[in-house]
Amino acid sequence: GASCLEGAPKEASKVDQVLLKEHPQHLGASLRMLRRRLVRGDYVAAAAEAHALRQHYPTEAEPYRLEARALLAQRLPQKAVEVLRAGVDRVENRHALLLELVDALARAGDDAGMRQTVEHMRESWAGDTRQIAQAMAALSRGESSLNNHARALRAARDAYALEPEGTYLALAA
């Protein structure tokens, strides 16, 4: 596949283009093309393509995540929140989407929604200290972006207490 061409982006892109001509909804090739669009800053097209892709793959997390990132890059956090919530409802492995949702809620200025999402994550992942530490780290970043520095520091300390080998205290710096 195109993954063997990772060090050769032009060739990998050509392989994906050929693959997509033969299989227009090929998930791997479509996701790689989407990521390239995002890197190039083509956010509007990336959001539209990700939206179309998630219609074909409604239970795959990555199209939701990439569409949300494209929307956030366009400064459309509320739309990103809607996309991520739709993904959380449809995707079985929703861990990454929930972490992205915390960020999108913070960017939308919804601090209550952000905290509620993290609390839901803590309840759902009870006993999984690594995932809870990641949730607390996401909360720390969100609180910091909302200039709630005391809350950000508390969340970073909670993340560090759960997973000391993590880099969570750097979040509070």
Side-chain angles (χ1 to χ4, degrees), residues 74-136:
Q74 295 175 69
R75 294 192 168 102
L76 299 169
Q78 196 54 49
K79 286 187 177 187
V81 165
E82 292 167 16
V83 167
L84 290 165
R85 283 192 170 142
V88 166
D89 290 343
R90 292 179 182 93
V91 173
E92 187 174 327
N93 185 3
R94 57 186 60 98
H95 176 78
L97 293 181
L98 285 165
L99 292 173
E100 298 262 350
L101 179 59
V102 172
D103 178 55
L105 287 163
R107 291 193 194 192
D110 185 354
D111 54 344
M114 175 187 69
R115 291 182 197 119
Q116 183 180 12
T117 299
V118 170
E119 192 53 40
H120 168 75
M121 292 160 71
R122 289 178 68 151
E123 291 168 7
S124 298
W125 301 337
D128 188 332
T129 55
R130 183 175 164 270
Q131 286 191 332
I132 294 171
Q134 290 174 348
M136 297 311 295

Side-chain angles (χ1 to χ4, degrees), residues 1-3 12-40 42 45-57 60 62-67:
S3 63
S13 181
K14 288 177 186 174
V15 168
D16 285 338
Q17 289 170 3
V18 169
L19 188 56
L20 287 169
K21 281 182 184 172
E22 293 176 19
H23 308 282
Q25 297 303 324
H26 187 277
L27 182 61
S30 295
L31 291 174
R32 287 188 297 272
M33 295 297 281
L34 270 172
R35 287 185 194 103
R36 288 184 196 105
R37 281 200 187 284
L38 286 171
V39 168
R40 286 194 312 265
D42 194 356
E49 287 178 23
H51 182 81
L53 191 60
R54 71 182 173 96
Q55 304 308 308
H56 292 279
Y57 295 97
E60 290 290 333
E62 198 64 3
Y64 294 94
R65 199 175 72 76
L66 293 175
E67 183 178 357

